Amino acid sequence: MINIDKNTFKKDYEKKFIEMHGSELSLASPQSKYETLGALIRDYVVEMWLNTTRRYNENHDKQVYYFSMEFLLGRLLGNTLLNLGIRDVCRDALDELNIDLDSLEDLEQDQGLGNGGLGRLAACFLDSMASLGIPGNGCGIRYKYGFFEQKIIEGSQVEAPDNWLRSGNVWEIRKADKVEVVKFGGEVKVDSFNGRMNFTHINYESVLAVPYDTPVVGYENDVVNTLRLWSAEPISNEFDFSSFSRGEFLKAIEYKNSVEAISQVLYPEDSFYEGKRLRLKQQYFFVSAGVQSIIRHYKNNGGNLKNFDEKVAIHINDTHPTLVIPELMRILMDEEGFSWEDAWRITKNTCAYTNHTILAEALEKWPVDMFKNLLPRIYMIIEEMNRRFCEKLWNKYIGQWDKIHRMAVIADGYVKMAHLAIIGSHSVNGVAKLHSEILKKQEMADFYYYYPRKFNNKTNGITHRRWLLKSNPQLTELLKETIGTSFIKHPMDMESFESYADKEHVQERLYEIKRNNKLKLAEVIKNKQGIIIDPDSIFDVQVKRIHAYKRQLLNALRIMNIYSDLLENPNMDIVPRTFIFAGKAAPGYFLAKKTIELITSIAEKINKDTLIRDKIKVVFLENYNVSLAEDIIPAADLSEQISTTTKEASGTSNMKFMMNGALTMATLDGANIEIRDEVGDDNIFIFGMNEREVLDYYKNGGYNAWEVCNSDSRLRRITNDLINGQYSSDREKFKPLYEHLLTYNDEFFVLKDFDSYIKAHERVDKAYRDKHLWQKMAAINIAHSGIFSSDRTIYEYATAIWGSSFLYKNL
Ligand code: 26Q
């Protein structure tokens, strides 16, 4: 623990300021005050960081490496202070210097190196690993530009680059002495020596991988783990300056640019795969650098590669880092002289894979020609893995060529990454119970029957430190006052809050806290977009990536329906509502962008209609990111989790909302099912088709959107409003959405679930009118949210998959 009092902190801060800026603190800019604070905190952390690393090395603890293309950390200052246990001291000390900690925290740029759920999950996992004292490391890419910045211009999404490193990053340390070299292209020379085949990679292009380390501070436990992100740089001897004088100027620049492109930008694609060569390059780049550096460290620390798998666990976050498997094989065989069999055993015991989606369009597969050309040796290894695997299949499934073809790693001219990940790992997991079952029964059934014991479930979680302690201080206070502080280290203890659910004074407090959070969000919305919203209306929130399967369109149609009702009857007695949306669409995803246009058009129309007297308001908040989520989620009354059943692998915002006392409007999809199981049917609003009905439609067909539409006058009216100029003078504008729903028989069944959605919202209105009932339901949700702490999730990964040692069993 850092033991520091206010006065020492003040002195340290003033000293640090002068050291960095050589000028008077009283005249300083806010940015320089923020940078000083960041640098000071980093100094505090460094010693603990060194100690943690030293202890891991001395104990030869088993290390976990979480490989992920995305880490969506958000801001680090507030949470680092919180975990160090010095946020209050720091706040008081700065107060005395007339500096407001909150406004300094607001100056930090979000570290937005992720698209959505998968990237944020990786960030929550890092926090939980450190807080449980698990020797755990993150490994990823230091994108120069993170996830794009979204601007809404005339109602449409416009993308701008996220230049998050513009003013530097106080949290990272460039480790110039820990660089690795990654090789692309070229050919493989094969010869044999003493009966052993030798593979030599020649004529390749080298890229320098430079690591930047960020400390990951555990909660009040002296643990500081490491997130290592790799940046691509040209190798100076290949970027040969003498070539300039030989007139090869362009070639040299081309080399430099092509290398730097590798870590230039995060692909803004979520749940959709495109066979882009640069993305394959990104994948091999960070995987190769990561695996090489793990092995280098392992050997330097006296480790014997024969028992590598006993001392190292590598986790593969979706298929994106699957090349870990052939890369580890390559190093063990080509560089360390292991036999195929030994290398394979070690690799399989080391690696574990998590699947995050069942959407077919998200499954990665790479064209063989592209693959071979970029990674010739890795391709050879995969070919051999495939050959051996298919041989086993032939022996087991004699004559079942279809099945063997379906399961092969290389087929139809593609390398199938999920198949590679499954055969090369000892564990394959889904991220919620339903999702894991669907993987076993449907998507990966062939593999499940072949390897029944590999498959398991690890329901996702979220770190309650960021999503409760940090983002909702007043609720945290109430919990401390009622049930004590044990829930902080043991989130499952939140369950004892349930006995307070009936108590009127607690209900009152919950109401007040929610109202304060709503006022704060209303202020944010006013400042950001100039819209005034009513804090006494229901804050009805859907924030997440914009995607057809998540069905923002269903939500939009409902609002259109309420609006037409109000136009007919302006005095209709409804509970006032504020509909809040936020989320980014992939830049090339036409229908998602149209959906944003529709929502902003509805907002435009409704918000200026004075006849309905502020009964409803619609807000689309620009540029959804982690920091905005921290403002929105604590202020929500209702959380919209309305994906087509079977499509949302888990969802994690559903857990964040629940923990903050929002009630959930949900289909029985992903982790919503487990939330329902926790709180009971009376404390959640469930609607829509179930798994069986949806799967039946997919299997047997029979969905007819026209029929559903024509038999419901409300649907006829609102679908018509999409094309009759009601929301845009350009009648063509929303026609693609209309056609998607009707002409193309929408595969996500929006119209089919409409009626049941409306009815569920009538139940919401009824419950909300009873203030005590609503707060009681909220309390029950809060009380049952502890199981969705990522501490629980990580505990399960660590015990059942990684075999980690623990410093703290915070459960
Ligand atoms: C793949 C290939 C090429 C380009 C991009 C991609 C790509 C990038 C990101 C594919 C998928 C993603 C992200 C997926 C994701 O965020 N999935 C979500 O993961 C969460 C954590 O498990 C779940 O809660 C969500 O249900 C799931 O949608």
Side-chain angles (χ1 to χ4, degrees):
M1 280 284 284
I2 298 181
N3 236 330
I4 202 159
D5 60 51
K6 189 174 63 183
N7 288 328
T8 319
F9 189 92
K10 237 167 88 177
K11 282 203 200 98
D12 285 356
Y13 184 79
E14 287 173 314
K15 189 163 153 243
K16 189 79 197 171
F17 187 86
I18 292 172
E19 195 183 300
M20 285 176 68
H21 302 279
S23 59
E24 281 285 334
L25 181 54
S26 56
L27 302 172
S29 69
Q31 178 66 24
S32 61
K33 289 178 189 162
Y34 160 74
E35 280 165 17
T36 306
L37 183 57
L40 177 61
I41 303 306
R42 202 184 64 189
D43 289 351
Y44 288 161
V45 164
V46 160
E47 198 186 317
M48 273 164 47
W49 201 359
L50 284 174
N51 287 338
T52 305
T53 311
R54 192 176 308 126
R55 199 185 64 234
Y56 289 159
N57 288 344
E58 282 168 6
N59 296 350
H60 299 278
D61 289 321
K62 184 165 190 178
Q63 294 286 325
V64 178
Y65 296 89
Y66 197 83
F67 275 65
S68 177
M69 286 272 281
E70 308 192 0
F71 287 94
L72 189 39
L73 298 183
R75 291 177 177 147
L76 296 182
L77 177 56
N79 281 85
T80 303
L81 289 171
L82 181 87
N83 284 6
L84 289 173
I86 59 169
R87 195 147 174 253
D88 291 338
V89 169
C90 170
R91 184 186 301 283
D92 295 347
L94 291 177
D95 260 350
E96 291 188 4
L97 295 168
N98 277 324
I99 299 171
D100 175 40
L101 176 60
D102 291 330
S103 35
L104 289 198
E105 285 181 3
D106 280 345
L107 287 177
E108 182 175 356
Q109 288 282 327
D110 267 50
Q111 189 160 332
L113 309 186
N115 271 287
L118 170 148
R120 183 54 232 175
L121 186 77
C124 285
F125 280 6
L126 291 180
D127 185 65
S128 285
M129 285 194 277
S131 295
L132 296 183
I134 292 171
N137 311 269
C139 181
I141 298 174
R142 180 180 178 271
Y143 301 103
K144 184 166 174 203
Y145 296 95
F147 194 31
F148 68 83
E149 194 185 317
Q150 178 194 54
K151 296 200 190 305
I152 301 294
I153 297 178
E154 290 173 12
S156 304
Q157 168 176 298
V158 175
E159 300 89 23
D162 166 39
N163 190 1
W164 69 289
L165 288 165
R166 198 176 27 228
S167 333
N169 171 11
V170 293
W171 305 111
E172 65 183 13
I173 300 185
R174 180 184 161 97
K175 291 280 170 76
D177 58 333
K178 297 234 160 33
V179 297
E180 298 290 346
V181 173
V182 179
K183 300 171 180 172
F184 292 100
E187 299 104 47
V188 179
K189 210 173 87 218
V190 186
D191 48 38
S192 75
F193 184 72
N194 280 349
R196 192 186 152 94
M197 303 268 269
N198 277 317
F199 300 89
T200 319
H201 194 177
I202 52 171
N203 299 332
Y204 49 79
E205 181 177 277
S206 299
V207 172
L208 196 66
V210 183
Y212 287 72
D213 289 356
T214 298
V216 182
V217 177
Y219 186 78
E220 295 191 355
N221 67 359
D222 285 359
V223 172
V224 181
N225 285 343
T226 303
L227 167 61
R228 173 162 287 183
L229 300 179
W230 297 92
S231 179
E233 292 184 12
I235 291 187
S236 52
N237 57 9
E238 303 217 357
F239 183 49
D240 185 357
F241 284 92
S242 62
S243 65
F244 282 73
S245 51
R246 292 200 307 270
E248 293 184 23
F249 171 75
L250 283 177
K251 228 169 154 184
I253 295 291
E254 256 171 42
Y255 165 68
K256 181 171 184 285
N257 286 345
S258 80
V259 167
E260 285 170 354
I262 297 173
S263 54
Q264 195 80 356
V265 64
L266 166 78
Y267 275 94
E269 220 71 64
D270 166 292
S271 318
F272 186 78
Y273 142 88
E274 253 181 309
K276 286 265 167 59
R277 183 180 149 97
L278 183 58
R279 183 159 163 106
L280 180 57
K281 229 171 160 177
Q282 291 186 325
Q283 297 187 344
Y284 185 66
F285 167 73
F286 94 100
V287 157
S288 175
V291 176
Q292 289 186 65
S293 83
I294 292 168
I295 290 180
R296 191 178 307 282
H297 174 74
Y298 182 77
K299 286 168 64 177
N300 285 343
N301 199 34
N304 182 340
L305 286 172
K306 278 192 188 136
N307 43 26
F308 185 73
D309 52 319
E310 289 164 28
K311 292 290 168 190
V312 172
I314 295 184
H315 208 87
I316 300 175
N317 195 26
D318 216 294
T319 52
H320 321 153
T322 301
L323 295 175
V324 158
I325 292 163
E327 177 66 0
L328 188 51
M329 290 290 289
R330 180 188 72 77
I331 296 175
L332 290 173
M333 295 187 303
D334 296 1
E335 293 180 9
E336 303 290 342
F338 280 79
S339 67
W340 178 279
E341 288 73 17
D342 286 341
W344 184 238
R345 179 181 45 77
I346 293 170
T347 300
K348 227 166 50 171
N349 289 340
T350 302
C351 298
Y353 154 62
T354 297
N355 171 286
H356 294 264
T357 184
I358 60 159
L359 297 182
E361 62 270 30
L363 292 181
E364 286 190 296
K365 51 181 192 181
W366 298 105
V368 163
D369 288 342
M370 179 199 287
F371 200 111
K372 226 193 247 177
N373 177 274
L374 192 63
L375 306 168
R377 176 61 185 137
I378 294 297
Y379 184 74
M380 285 173 88
I381 292 171
I382 295 174
E383 252 184 339
E384 179 62 10
M385 283 167 57
N386 183 49
R387 194 190 61 76
R388 289 175 183 240
F389 178 58
C390 289
E391 196 169 86
K392 289 204 177 113
L393 294 178
W394 285 325
N395 292 330
K396 191 172 161 100
Y397 302 121
I398 297 159
Q400 297 184 47
W401 301 109
D402 273 1
K403 192 183 182 93
I404 295 166
H405 180 249
R406 269 203 317 269
M407 293 175 75
V409 176
I410 304 172
D412 307 321
Y414 288 100
V415 181
K416 301 186 171 175
M417 300 304 267
H419 299 192
L420 183 57
I422 296 171
I423 73 169
S425 299
H426 66 280
S427 167
V428 176
N429 75 281
V431 290
K433 279 181 192 163
L434 174 70
H435 170 61
S436 296
E437 283 307 307
I438 292 176
L439 288 180
K440 289 196 291 189
K441 283 194 310 221
Q442 318 260 332
E443 304 305 308
M444 297 180 171
D446 290 332
F447 288 96
Y448 173 57
Y449 291 118
Y450 191 72
Y451 302 117
R453 283 149 38 122
K454 266 193 200 185
F455 285 75
N456 64 90
N457 173 246
K458 297 285 168 283
T459 299
N460 281 167
I462 56 162
T463 169
H464 60 290
R465 286 165 290 274
R466 179 176 294 260
W467 298 107
L468 176 61
L469 306 192
K470 160 92 193 324
S471 65
N472 203 339
Q474 295 187 5
L475 179 56
T476 306
E477 231 9 80
L478 176 63
L479 288 169
K480 284 186 192 163
E481 283 168 33
T482 48
I483 61 170
T485 54
S486 74
F487 76 94
I488 296 177
K489 290 229 164 179
H490 309 275
M492 303 276 248
D493 286 358
M494 287 170 79
E495 240 178 86
S496 51
F497 190 60
E498 181 154 17
S499 61
Y500 292 86
D502 274 323
K503 302 220 178 341
E504 214 159 289
H505 71 279
V506 170
Q507 294 168 356
E508 288 292 337
R509 284 286 301 282
L510 279 175
Y511 174 83
E512 265 169 43
I513 292 167
K514 184 61 80 182
R515 197 164 189 288
N516 291 339
N517 292 337
K518 287 165 82 171
L519 283 170
K520 206 174 131 210
L521 178 62
E523 191 63 24
V524 170
I525 292 177
K526 193 176 94 193
N527 294 337
K528 264 182 84 122
Q529 340 219 146
I531 302 174
I532 312 280
I533 58 174
D534 170 11
D536 294 314
S537 62
I538 299 179
F539 281 18
D540 181 336
V541 183
Q542 187 172 21
V543 287
K544 49 183 81 256
R545 287 300 295 266
I546 312 293
H547 201 295
Y549 85 80
K550 294 179 187 279
R551 301 200 294 189
Q552 281 90 358
L553 199 48
L554 175 59
N555 197 349
L557 290 176
R558 166 180 66 116
I559 300 168
M560 290 163 63
N561 186 53
I562 297 174
Y563 184 51
S564 358
D565 284 347
L566 279 171
L567 288 180
E568 272 176 22
N569 177 9
N571 294 320
M572 190 171 73
D573 181 26
I574 59 164
V575 185
R577 290 216 196 201
T578 303
F579 303 98
I580 298 171
F581 292 87
K584 296 177 186 177
Y589 191 170
F590 178 72
L591 282 181
K593 289 185 135 177
K594 276 282 160 205
T595 305
I596 293 178
E597 289 174 18
L598 177 64
I599 294 167
T600 55
S601 300
I602 296 172
E604 168 87 7
K605 178 106 189 167
I606 289 179
N607 296 351
K608 65 176 188 220
D609 187 335
T610 48
L611 275 180
I612 56 169
R613 268 173 299 173
D614 293 336
K615 280 205 163 89
I616 54 173
K617 279 265 164 73
V618 183
V619 183
F620 188 98
L621 276 164
E622 199 173 60
N623 201 35
Y624 186 55
N625 60 16
V626 172
S627 294
L628 191 54
E630 289 173 36
D631 287 333
I632 296 173
I633 292 170
D637 293 306
L638 191 67
S639 148
E640 298 278 349
Q641 307 297 337
I642 60 177
S643 54
T644 308
T645 299
T646 73
K647 295 291 180 188
E648 189 70 273
S650 159
T652 42
S653 76
N654 44 4
M655 303 168 183
K656 296 166 196 162
F657 280 107
M658 171 197 195
M659 195 174 271
N660 283 277
L663 304 189
T664 311
M665 169 62 59
T667 49
L668 285 176
D669 197 17
N672 299 346
I673 299 175
E674 287 155 79
I675 293 179
R676 192 269 321 259
D677 292 346
E678 279 295 321
V679 302
D681 284 306
D682 292 345
N683 296 300
I684 189 167
F685 304 96
I686 298 292
F687 76 100
M689 283 193 285
N690 61 27
E691 180 203 358
R692 196 179 32 76
E693 292 164 307
V694 170
L695 292 179
D696 187 64
Y697 268 149
Y698 285 134
K699 202 163 148 227
N700 303 318
Y703 176 60
N704 185 331
W706 286 111
E707 215 170 272
V708 177
C709 182
N710 288 331
S711 60
D712 185 331
S713 61
R714 298 164 305 180
L715 285 177
R716 281 201 305 274
R717 183 177 61 181
I718 52 182
T719 50
N720 210 30
D721 281 347
L722 287 173
I723 49 170
N724 66 7
Q726 169 75 332
Y727 293 99
S728 166
S729 53
D730 172 6
R731 289 170 181 231
E732 295 296 306
K733 191 165 179 182
F734 301 121
K735 202 157 174 207
L737 292 172
Y738 176 90
E739 290 183 333
H740 163 78
L741 287 171
L742 289 160
T743 319
Y744 300 109
N745 209 30
D746 159 42
E747 61 182 305
F748 301 110
F749 314 121
V750 165
L751 300 184
K752 177 77 185 176
D753 276 347
F754 179 80
D755 177 60
S756 128
Y757 185 49
I758 299 289
K759 288 192 173 119
H761 272 289
E762 285 164 6
R763 301 200 294 276
V764 169
D765 260 26
K766 192 157 166 255
Y768 196 81
R769 285 177 201 268
D770 182 344
K771 180 170 152 186
H772 290 287
L773 171 69
W774 187 273
Q775 295 309 331
K776 179 182 167 186
M777 292 168 78
I780 291 171
N781 273 268
I782 296 164
H784 286 272
S785 67
I787 196 168
F788 299 110
S789 164
S790 45
D791 289 7
R792 187 268 312 148
T793 314
I794 283 299
Y795 180 83
E796 292 177 2
Y797 275 95
T799 48
I801 301 179
W802 302 331
S804 310
S805 61
F806 283 81
L807 210 51
Y808 304 94
K809 292 204 167 69
N810 293 352
L811 285 155

